[in-house]
Amino acid sequence: MDYKHKGTLSKGGMVNMDEIKNAVELLLKARRVSALTGAGMSAESGIQTFRDKDGIWTKMDPMKWATREGYLENPRLVWEWYEARRNQVKNSKPNDGHRAMAEFEKIFGHFSVATQNIDGFHKLSGSKNVHELHGNIFRNKCFDENKILEELDESTIPPRCPHCGALARPDVVWFGEVLPQEVWEAAFDDAKNSDVYMVVGTSGTVYPAAGLAAIAKKNDAKVVIINPEDSEIDLLADVLIKGKSGEVLPEILRGLQAGK
């Protein structure tokens, strides 16, 4: 396989093109491919992260802003903070990495994305097979009954569930909560049955999502990790690419298109 690099990569083009080629060669042999994406992809779209050295949780107590108890203590304040986060996402947009992943669905017999991000950018980019492990900031649900609320009367802040009168809340996974079972099971099954598993833009520290790569590896998948920084799961990688998703994934896409 031979293809020419196009575009400008970060750090003066220091991303290892040989590793990109190695990733492409693995992917060309694969029928089932799945991916796990994390906050690094959102950061490339200008969305502030939570756990990085300058992330939100270095300045704010997550127990007050991202727990059931914290919400009940000051529901209006927490709701308005999530509204500010929603506005930040609305003022951002998917990057080339999101768009490249959407194109992967057209190339492989099966391609899915399990994401820790709550911005909805994968679906907005055209990806259809997406497992939103930590929820979606643009959805809301009933605090008491956990049911998704399609419409809300926002004349009161925070709004109330139109069915039972309980508080509405963002449909995101807070500290102390489990991942949605059906979503997790789908992501687990895809990892278990992948020929190649990609890990993109995540530090590999948040479980259980970070364990998906190990599940894939245990079941004989090849693991491709793409991240500008070192991650906790780098030792699992068959191919390790130090670079931004918005630069590396379009290069991989070009290689796949040239090799098909």
Side-chain angles (χ1 to χ4, degrees), residues 44-214:
E44 291 178 41
S45 291
I47 297 174
Q48 189 178 9
T49 61
F50 286 92
R51 293 178 177 84
D52 289 345
K53 61 180 181 179
D54 297 318
I56 291 170
W57 297 147
T58 65
K59 306 174 182 68
M60 302 173 66
D61 181 359
M63 296 300 105
K64 293 183 178 180
W65 300 92
T67 64
R68 291 176 63 88
E69 295 78 12
Y71 188 45
L72 289 177
E73 184 177 328
N74 201 331
R76 183 182 184 94
L77 188 66
V78 174
W79 180 270
E80 289 179 342
W81 183 73
Y82 275 95
E83 280 293 287
R85 290 285 296 174
R86 286 170 172 151
N87 287 332
Q88 183 190 21
V89 175
K90 288 177 182 177
N91 290 325
S92 304
K93 60 183 180 180
N95 60 59
D96 288 343
H98 295 103
R99 288 185 279 272
M101 276 199 167
E103 292 297 313
F104 290 169
E105 286 190 0
K106 303 174 185 177
I107 293 175
F108 300 106
H110 170 91
F111 182 80
S112 70
V113 180
T115 185
Q116 297 165 283
N117 301 330
I118 58 175
D119 49 42
F121 279 176
H122 284 295
K123 290 183 177 180
L124 189 60
S125 299
S127 291
K128 296 179 176 60
N129 196 5
V130 181
H131 311 308
E132 293 178 320
L133 297 173
H134 294 171
N136 188 306
I137 198 169
F138 292 106
R139 287 196 306 263
N140 297 294
K141 63 182 181 180
C142 175
F143 188 93
D144 288 352
E145 298 182 351
N146 219 37
K147 295 179 180 178
I148 298 298
L149 303 176
E150 299 296 340
E151 295 184 3
L152 287 175
D153 177 3
E154 297 195 39
S155 60
T156 60
I157 302 298
R160 294 277 175 172
C161 172
H163 308 294
C164 71
L167 289 170
R169 54 161 285 186
D171 182 28
V172 298
V173 177
W174 283 336
F175 287 92
E177 296 182 329
V178 298
L179 303 189
Q181 184 176 357
E182 289 185 8
V183 176
W184 169 249
E185 289 177 353
F188 182 96
D189 287 344
D190 281 345
K192 184 178 179 180
N193 294 296
S194 292
D195 301 313
V196 175
Y197 198 77
M198 305 177 73
V199 181
V200 184
T202 176
S203 61
T205 59
V206 180
Y207 284 81
L212 289 169

Side-chain angles (χ1 to χ4, degrees), residues 203-223:
S203 61
T205 59
V206 180
Y207 284 81
L212 289 169
I215 292 164
K217 187 82 170 180
K218 182 179 178 180
N219 288 276
D220 299 323
K222 300 297 184 182
V223 176

Side-chain angles (χ1 to χ4, degrees), residues 36-42 44 116-117 199-204 225-228 243 245:
L36 170 68
T37 67
M41 287 198 77
S42 294
E44 291 178 41
Q116 297 165 283
N117 301 330
V199 181
V200 184
T202 176
S203 61
I225 296 180
I226 301 164
N227 204 39
S245 64

